[in-house]
Amino acid sequence: MTSSLSRSRSRRAPSHSAVRVAHAVLGGLIAVGWLVLPLARAGSGDGPAVARSAEATAPAAASEDGTETGDLVPPLVAVGAAGVLAAYTYTRRRRRATTRTTPGGDGGGVISLRELDLLAKRSLVDIDNCVRTGAEELDIAAARSTHEAAEPYADALTYAAAELAAAFRLRQRLDEADAGVGKGAGGSRRVLEEIVARCRDAGRRLDAAAPGFDQLRALERNTPAALESAGTRFRELAGRTPAAAAELAELHRRYAPTASFPVVGDVEQAKDRLVFTTRHLDRARRYADRGDSARAAAHLRAAEGAVQQAAVLVDGVDRLAGELASAAAELPAALSAAEAALGAAGELPPAEGTDKDTGGRTGPFGRAGVLLSGVRRETAAGPYDPLDALRRVAEAGALLAGAGGDDVLGERAHALLPAHSALAGAADYIGTHRGAVACEARTRLAEADRLLGPGPTTLVAVRRADELAREARRLAERDVRAYGHPGGDHDDTGAGGAVLGGILLDDGAGPVSYGGPHTRGRRAASFSGTGTGTGTSTGT
């Protein structure tokens, strides 16, 4: 399999090594020419030399030897000069490579390593937004067209998503190695260039597919049908929102506050997206009635994006309620099995006066005892957080297994439910706040998703994915707090939430659509009078 680095180099300009090889070949040809010249000259005088007398042979030979030695001097000088030139060129290029680069080899100018790092982060954020938006709009298009018609655009999105996943993996490896700017400059540079190259490939593929996708959707021609579909979806979600609010209140009553924290505020945000939807569906209808199909399509596209995010927010409450119920049902048996394994681990009975949690045990057994005792107390006292409790039971099981305890506790299965819940919650949060979330949170989310992907998954991978997903959520929340609310405290149009959610461009100038960085905002020209003027870069 071709390495990622070699793949990126093949997509960019030819390597500097080709220049060095050309220099070496040129020097070699010059040297060979100088070496052959004396031999040719000597060979041209062989006839007269044979006819000479024996007395004249020795002086002649001596004279010829002297001539050949002199003729070897220019070739040696040429070889030395070529070597010096090659060494100078190599040193100069190495020195330049440590301070600047030209990502993608597109002649866009040279930038510093720090600027390259920022470019890589911005590229990841931009393409992640493109892939998310593309997947959402492709779902709408696929529901109204044949599989064959939508397949090319699904293929383009799949390609872009694969390139993005590989780029996020490189970013995660770079972060884990702590090879930031100023550390391991050569290795960091190669990785950052690879990230930028992959993101550019993904963006070009989506940009190229965008015109054909517009023909597939044909919003300008099919505005009435698309408006009816979006209106139906809007009414369905508007009817579900009160039920979601009631369900969230029940989660608050039944469980500890941390249990429902991942969806706190989701119902209010769903209402905000629906307000935005109402406004832009109305505008789309007015423009359609006037025959302005381009503006109607632009406002319809904004409404579609808001409806989809409202669905994510409402569905998130239902999803978490089901996960908490499943964890609560699974916990008693898991806790009892872990406690039994701890008791049968071959340790001595607890000594009198020892800590009641550790039972006199030390090391992994002691830590497992603390975890299990804490869970037992919380479940007895109530209310508690079932997902967090199950996570701690799985951790205790892992400690027991690693310390030589019974390895049939099913700790991996117990760890999967909290990990998948954390991953889904983080993905929903980042997706509905993508206008504010920067690169680091998205990178952690991508790595968690990779670890929990298809195929066999180890307990270590599951626990690491759980940790990364929760970290991604924390980082994303930090980004959103720093970003603020684009519409201010008195936004009653939903436009601020639409910018925060990435439904509108950063400056609110228009809706985003299927496509790459150069085409995703193509409907902005037909979207007037709703800009918020609050564009903010989230690339770092």
Side-chain angles (χ1 to χ4, degrees), residues 110 176 201 238 253 279 327 395 423 475 533:
V110 292
E176 288 175 349
D201 271 3
R253 184 193 67 80
R279 181 182 180 88
E395 182 182 352
L423 179 64
L475 292 169

PDB file of all heavy atoms in Angstrom, residues 110 176 201 238 253 279 327 395 423 475 533:
ATOM      1  N   VAL A 110       5.312  31.132  -0.767  1.00  0.00           N
ATOM      2  CA  VAL A 110       5.888  30.383   0.331  1.00  0.00           C
ATOM      3  C   VAL A 110       5.371  30.928   1.654  1.00  0.00           C
ATOM      4  O   VAL A 110       5.122  32.118   1.794  1.00  0.00           O
ATOM      5  CB  VAL A 110       7.426  30.454   0.288  1.00  0.00           C
ATOM      6  CG1 VAL A 110       7.951  29.712  -0.920  1.00  0.00           C
ATOM      7  CG2 VAL A 110       7.900  31.903   0.275  1.00  0.00           C
ATOM      8  N   GLU A 176      -0.560  14.015  19.124  1.00  0.00           N
ATOM      9  CA  GLU A 176      -0.121  13.033  20.117  1.00  0.00           C
ATOM     10  C   GLU A 176       1.388  13.029  20.278  1.00  0.00           C
ATOM     11  O   GLU A 176       1.913  12.804  21.373  1.00  0.00           O
ATOM     12  CB  GLU A 176      -0.604  11.634  19.716  1.00  0.00           C
ATOM     13  CG  GLU A 176      -2.101  11.426  19.888  1.00  0.00           C
ATOM     14  CD  GLU A 176      -2.561  10.081  19.377  1.00  0.00           C
ATOM     15  OE1 GLU A 176      -1.742   9.404  18.704  1.00  0.00           O
ATOM     16  OE2 GLU A 176      -3.713   9.706  19.636  1.00  0.00           O
ATOM     17  N   ASP A 201      -7.516  18.088  -2.206  1.00  0.00           N
ATOM     18  CA  ASP A 201      -8.066  17.060  -3.095  1.00  0.00           C
ATOM     19  C   ASP A 201      -9.557  16.855  -2.827  1.00  0.00           C
ATOM     20  O   ASP A 201     -10.364  16.759  -3.756  1.00  0.00           O
ATOM     21  CB  ASP A 201      -7.318  15.740  -2.889  1.00  0.00           C
ATOM     22  CG  ASP A 201      -6.105  15.622  -3.794  1.00  0.00           C
ATOM     23  OD1 ASP A 201      -5.824  16.588  -4.518  1.00  0.00           O
ATOM     24  OD2 ASP A 201      -5.447  14.571  -3.770  1.00  0.00           O
ATOM     25  N   ALA A 238     -42.129  20.470  14.591  1.00  0.00           N
ATOM     26  CA  ALA A 238     -42.821  21.393  15.495  1.00  0.00           C
ATOM     27  C   ALA A 238     -43.751  20.625  16.430  1.00  0.00           C
ATOM     28  O   ALA A 238     -43.903  20.982  17.617  1.00  0.00           O
ATOM     29  CB  ALA A 238     -43.608  22.421  14.683  1.00  0.00           C
ATOM     30  N   ARG A 253     -35.742  14.707  36.260  1.00  0.00           N
ATOM     31  CA  ARG A 253     -36.374  14.182  37.476  1.00  0.00           C
ATOM     32  C   ARG A 253     -35.818  12.815  37.846  1.00  0.00           C
ATOM     33  O   ARG A 253     -35.595  12.528  39.028  1.00  0.00           O
ATOM     34  CB  ARG A 253     -37.889  14.091  37.262  1.00  0.00           C
ATOM     35  CG  ARG A 253     -38.663  13.650  38.501  1.00  0.00           C
ATOM     36  CD  ARG A 253     -40.087  13.266  38.149  1.00  0.00           C
ATOM     37  NE  ARG A 253     -40.118  12.059  37.319  1.00  0.00           N
ATOM     38  CZ  ARG A 253     -39.990  10.824  37.805  1.00  0.00           C
ATOM     39  NH1 ARG A 253     -39.785  10.611  39.097  1.00  0.00           N
ATOM     40  NH2 ARG A 253     -40.049   9.788  36.986  1.00  0.00           N
ATOM     41  N   ARG A 279     -39.348  31.601   8.943  1.00  0.00           N
ATOM     42  CA  ARG A 279     -39.037  32.868   8.267  1.00  0.00           C
ATOM     43  C   ARG A 279     -38.611  32.640   6.816  1.00  0.00           C
ATOM     44  O   ARG A 279     -39.077  33.333   5.902  1.00  0.00           O
ATOM     45  CB  ARG A 279     -37.936  33.577   9.050  1.00  0.00           C
ATOM     46  CG  ARG A 279     -37.505  34.918   8.496  1.00  0.00           C
ATOM     47  CD  ARG A 279     -36.377  35.493   9.345  1.00  0.00           C
ATOM     48  NE  ARG A 279     -35.926  36.778   8.864  1.00  0.00           N
ATOM     49  CZ  ARG A 279     -36.431  37.940   9.215  1.00  0.00           C
ATOM     50  NH1 ARG A 279     -37.459  37.972  10.066  1.00  0.00           N
ATOM     51  NH2 ARG A 279     -35.963  39.078   8.734  1.00  0.00           N
ATOM     52  N   ALA A 327     -28.630   1.665  29.889  1.00  0.00           N
ATOM     53  CA  ALA A 327     -27.551   1.584  30.872  1.00  0.00           C
ATOM     54  C   ALA A 327     -28.094   1.230  32.254  1.00  0.00           C
ATOM     55  O   ALA A 327     -27.485   0.433  32.985  1.00  0.00           O
ATOM     56  CB  ALA A 327     -26.791   2.908  30.927  1.00  0.00           C
ATOM     57  N   GLU A 395     -14.519   0.166  33.817  1.00  0.00           N
ATOM     58  CA  GLU A 395     -13.141   0.475  34.200  1.00  0.00           C
ATOM     59  C   GLU A 395     -12.659  -0.468  35.296  1.00  0.00           C
ATOM     60  O   GLU A 395     -11.514  -0.951  35.262  1.00  0.00           O
ATOM     61  CB  GLU A 395     -13.050   1.927  34.674  1.00  0.00           C
ATOM     62  CG  GLU A 395     -11.639   2.344  35.051  1.00  0.00           C
ATOM     63  CD  GLU A 395     -11.570   3.780  35.560  1.00  0.00           C
ATOM     64  OE1 GLU A 395     -12.583   4.499  35.474  1.00  0.00           O
ATOM     65  OE2 GLU A 395     -10.493   4.175  36.064  1.00  0.00           O
ATOM     66  N   LEU A 423     -19.833   9.521  21.938  1.00  0.00           N
ATOM     67  CA  LEU A 423     -19.504   9.841  20.543  1.00  0.00           C
ATOM     68  C   LEU A 423     -20.685  10.499  19.842  1.00  0.00           C
ATOM     69  O   LEU A 423     -20.528  11.529  19.157  1.00  0.00           O
ATOM     70  CB  LEU A 423     -19.098   8.569  19.805  1.00  0.00           C
ATOM     71  CG  LEU A 423     -18.752   8.733  18.319  1.00  0.00           C
ATOM     72  CD1 LEU A 423     -17.530   9.616  18.134  1.00  0.00           C
ATOM     73  CD2 LEU A 423     -18.519   7.364  17.676  1.00  0.00           C
ATOM     74  N   LEU A 475     -13.913  20.448  24.407  1.00  0.00           N
ATOM     75  CA  LEU A 475     -13.234  21.421  23.556  1.00  0.00           C
ATOM     76  C   LEU A 475     -14.232  22.203  22.704  1.00  0.00           C
ATOM     77  O   LEU A 475     -14.081  23.419  22.505  1.00  0.00           O
ATOM     78  CB  LEU A 475     -12.221  20.708  22.658  1.00  0.00           C
ATOM     79  CG  LEU A 475     -11.005  20.100  23.351  1.00  0.00           C
ATOM     80  CD1 LEU A 475     -10.241  19.200  22.388  1.00  0.00           C
ATOM     81  CD2 LEU A 475     -10.092  21.190  23.902  1.00  0.00           C
ATOM     82  N   GLY A 533     -23.386  40.030   9.364  1.00  0.00           N
ATOM     83  CA  GLY A 533     -22.130  40.763   9.449  1.00  0.00           C
ATOM     84  C   GLY A 533     -21.247  40.314  10.583  1.00  0.00           C
ATOM     85  O   GLY A 533     -20.533  41.120  11.174  1.00  0.00           O
TER      86      GLY A 533
END
